[in-house]
Amino acid sequence: SFRIDRISEEVRHAVDAAIRTLNDPRVCGTYCVTRADVTRDLRYAKVYVSVLEDDKAEDLIKALKNAAGYLRREVGRQVDLRYTPELLFERDQNIAYGAHIAEVLRSVAQTEENKDEQ
């Protein structure tokens, strides 16, 4: 388990570095590779990407899926493994969900403040 966690973190770093080398115009804006989950047999890695701009998120994920072969080769060069895992990209909603919860809490606090004033 500890070994898989270390490999997952190495894959995350390698994917993040490889994405920055892409020359695709769809790979722009504010994004972050939040985590990578590598299976126990090291054949697949699910890479979670968080995108702050909702209108560019779908294009970014499509671009990453199209460039998965190139990114896999770059990960294979950086991470020394017998098998380079196949990369599966998913959009991570955690940051957007956290921003939504913060907004809800802020609005609740504001309504409580308005009730106290009246």
Side-chain angles (χ1 to χ4, degrees):
S1 176
F2 182 68
R3 179 176 180 260
I4 297 297
D5 291 341
R6 287 185 311 171
I7 291 172
S8 295
E9 190 63 22
E10 287 294 320
V11 168
R12 185 187 72 79
H13 283 290
V15 168
D16 192 28
I19 289 174
R20 297 190 191 286
T21 64
L22 288 177
N23 290 328
D24 195 330
R26 297 176 293 179
V27 181
C28 63
T30 308
Y31 67 90
C32 178
V33 178
T34 54
R35 73 178 194 268
D37 293 334
V38 178
T39 58
R40 296 179 72 71
D41 62 355
L42 304 176
R43 296 291 183 168
Y44 297 96
K46 192 177 281 190
V47 179
Y48 293 93
V49 180
S50 177
V51 184
L52 294 179
E53 300 165 2
D54 288 334
D55 56 331
K56 296 181 180 180
E58 190 174 322
D59 289 338
L60 176 68
I61 296 298
K62 282 183 184 178
L64 293 177
K65 287 180 180 180
N66 287 340
Y70 168 77
L71 295 172
R72 183 179 183 187
R73 186 176 71 226
E74 292 299 314
V75 168
R77 288 179 181 166
Q78 293 181 17
V79 181
D80 188 27
L81 294 172
R82 178 176 290 167
Y83 302 109
T84 303
E86 183 178 334
L87 303 175
L88 307 169
F89 292 97
E90 298 262 335
R91 182 172 180 206
D92 190 8
Q93 300 283 352
N94 288 340
I95 293 176
Y97 182 71
H100 171 69
I101 294 297
E103 183 63 34
V104 169
L105 291 174
R106 199 169 323 151
S107 68
V108 168
Q110 192 175 33
T111 57
E112 290 292 325
E113 216 175 81
N114 290 340
K115 285 182 183 178
D116 289 343
E117 289 176 2
Q118 294 176 358

